[in-house]
Amino acid sequence: MGGTWGFSGPQFLAWYGIALAVVVVVQVGWPRVARPRGVEGGGELPDVYHLAYLAGGPERVADTAIAALVDRGLLRVNSEGLVTAAGKRPWHKIERSVHEGAKGVTGGTTRSLRARATRSKAMSDLEAEMQRAGLLTSGSEAQPFHSAVLLAYLVLLAVGAVRFVTGAANDRPVGWLFLLLVVALVLTIVASVIRGRRRVRITPRGQGALARARSASQGPAQPAVLLAGPAGAVALGGLAMYPDDELSAALIPPFQPFAGSGGGSSGGGSSCSSSSSCSSGSSCSSGSSCGSSCGGGGCGG
């Protein structure tokens, strides 16, 4: 029997569903197929923050800066996880962003310092530098592809809508077509969101640099200078890898929606830093000066 546009209802539904499925498969599968494979060689990374970005993104960079500043005594951490600035202003732009966020009487939490650092111009400059070095993509390479996918969904949505209106006007059953239109609309919205996002990815060159760093950290030889000290450990493994357990626990407090917003953040001015008696490698035992300043339960307990 004849149908709208020369297609019967079942025929149109079949072709429409196939077209939607093809676009979905291309959207999901093509980026995986087109993604560069293998690991390229390259020179040494300029500093530990490039390594941190490759290992964990902007938040890991912020965590590494926190670790470096705590280790040098430029940040102090109390038992409640509040971080306050101490000492002179650091010269590195990333460290300066974190240090400035910890100024004031109450300082800030690790979470707030991360948020400040990831939005800073210093982080944008670091990303741009890594893109120029071929360690990161700019995030714009896939924009033409995502635009084409969005256009395909829009065309299918428009065709389906016109068919729906025409079929309804001709008293044709359009229930199944309505369901497919809902699916097409959802896919169009998802494609629009994906197109609007800027997704920075690690290049094969960056993957190679990260792989060499991980290999150096696990090998029997002395690690490279980038991996030395708490900053290197945190760059590869996060704040949980900070070599002092008490400081690590203080820097990673339990999740609290309003952590650090109340008073009593640093009772009696007590704090722990690597330059104080609660330094890396020491323990907060009762009776010691660190025990009295961090509380009987230990620093960050």
Side-chain angles (χ1 to χ4, degrees):
M1 66 179 174
T4 307
W5 302 344
F7 291 96
S8 67
Q11 286 176 330
F12 182 83
L13 287 175
W15 284 110
Y16 195 76
I18 290 172
L20 280 176
V22 168
V23 178
V24 170
V25 169
V26 171
Q27 180 185 17
V28 174
W30 178 251
R32 300 176 183 273
V33 174
R35 186 178 301 168
R37 303 290 180 178
V39 174
E40 292 182 358
E44 293 297 323
L45 295 173
D47 64 30
V48 72
Y49 297 112
H50 295 75
L51 174 60
Y53 197 109
L54 294 176
E59 287 196 349
R60 183 67 59 80
V61 174
D63 289 350
T64 302
I66 291 171
L69 293 173
V70 169
D71 183 54
R72 301 206 306 268
L74 298 181
L75 288 181
R76 300 173 68 84
V77 190
N78 71 9
S79 58
E80 296 180 8
L82 285 175
V83 185
T84 53
K88 61 182 181 180
R89 189 170 180 241
W91 66 269
H92 196 287
K93 290 189 292 184
I94 296 290
E95 295 179 355
R96 200 156 56 232
S97 173
V98 172
H99 192 263
E100 289 174 355
K103 287 182 177 178
V105 178
T106 59
T109 64
T110 300
R111 190 174 295 109
S112 68
L113 297 183
R114 280 177 182 166
R116 178 186 176 92
T118 54
R119 295 193 304 264
S120 67
K121 184 179 183 299
M123 191 68 70
S124 299
D125 291 343
L126 177 66
E127 290 178 349
E129 182 181 340
M130 295 180 70
Q131 289 162 13
R132 290 192 296 269
L135 300 170
L136 296 177
T137 65
S138 66
S140 61
E141 293 85 350
Q143 285 299 97
F145 170 77
H146 292 304
S147 297
V149 169
L150 178 60
L151 178 61
Y153 283 130
L154 288 172
V155 169
L156 288 173
L157 188 62
V159 170
V162 173
R163 173 78 182 204
F164 177 84
V165 172
T166 304
N170 293 332
D171 293 326
R172 302 283 186 178
V174 291
W176 287 107
L177 178 57
F178 177 77
L179 293 178
L180 283 178
L181 278 175
V182 171
V183 172
L185 177 61
V186 171
L187 291 173
T188 302
I189 294 173
V190 171
S192 178
V193 171
I194 293 175
R195 179 182 176 275
R197 288 190 310 190
R198 176 174 168 266
R199 303 185 67 185
V200 176
R201 295 184 181 275
I202 302 176
T203 64
R205 182 184 180 90
Q207 293 171 2
L210 179 59
R212 288 192 300 275
R214 292 193 186 282
S215 177
S217 69
Q218 297 170 1
Q222 283 292 327
V225 65
L226 292 185
L227 303 177
V234 171
L236 282 180
L239 286 172
M241 298 303 295
Y242 194 93
D244 185 295
D245 291 340
E246 287 85 8
L247 282 173
S248 177
L251 289 169
I252 314 176
F255 175 74
Q256 296 174 354
F258 302 101
S261 61
S265 59
S266 54
S270 63
S271 61
C272 300
S273 73
S274 60
S275 62
S276 69
S277 55
C278 186
S279 60
S280 175
S282 65
S283 60
C284 293
S285 58
S286 60
S288 66
S289 58
C290 183
S292 60
S293 64
C294 296
C299 179

